[in-house]
Amino acid sequence: MDADLLRRIRKTSVVMGVVMAVPLAFYIGWMPAAAWIAGGAWSLANLAAIHSIVSRVLTNEKRDKRAIVLAAGIKFPVLYATGFAMLAWLKLPVAWWMAGFGWPFFVAVMKSLGRIYLRLDETH
């Protein structure tokens, strides 16, 4: 996976996630739609934080240990406190939050399967 594929996964997840939230809000309710969007946003923020940490650890240059610790130190308490607040205080439906959380992973799998099926990564 390259950075361009990750960018396309983020873009598709956001656009299609918002598009899918509209009928969800209309037919099921605004709380499930809000949970869907919140779960997807939380998942994308988590993936961005993980990408940031991993790219700082897996580098050929000198590792900035302070930046790695700072990124991890911000990621865990802030991101997980936000997730807790969404589920415990805002009372978002957990099933719809988890569906939104899984949405970017579904998009990643489908994009990867599409690349395999179309043989876009083969060298000629």
Side-chain angles (χ1 to χ4, degrees):
M1 282 213 273
D2 59 351
D4 190 47
L5 178 61
L6 293 175
R7 182 192 56 78
R8 290 193 315 269
I9 289 169
R10 280 191 306 270
K11 186 176 174 182
T12 303
S13 296
V14 168
V15 170
M16 292 308 298
V18 170
V19 167
M20 289 171 54
V22 172
L24 187 64
F26 184 74
Y27 289 110
I28 297 176
W30 69 272
M31 282 294 277
W36 167 266
I37 294 291
W42 194 94
S43 180
L44 290 171
N46 188 37
L47 289 174
I50 290 170
H51 179 265
S52 173
I53 293 168
V54 169
S55 65
R56 289 180 178 158
V57 170
L58 300 177
T59 181
N60 292 333
E61 298 151 11
K62 187 176 185 303
R63 290 178 186 85
D64 186 0
K65 293 179 185 173
R66 183 174 178 267
I68 294 168
V69 170
L70 184 65
I74 290 172
K75 176 199 183 288
F76 291 108
V78 171
L79 206 56
Y80 291 106
T82 304
F84 176 78
M86 284 189 275
L87 297 174
W89 293 333
L90 298 178
K91 304 283 190 221
L92 294 177
V94 175
W96 288 105
W97 193 87
M98 289 302 297
F101 175 82
W103 176 246
F105 298 106
F106 177 77
V107 170
V109 168
M110 290 296 108
K111 283 195 169 285
S112 297
L113 288 175
R115 292 187 70 80
I116 291 169
Y117 180 74
L118 296 173
R119 299 179 183 179
L120 295 175
D121 296 325
E122 290 182 5
T123 56
H124 299 290

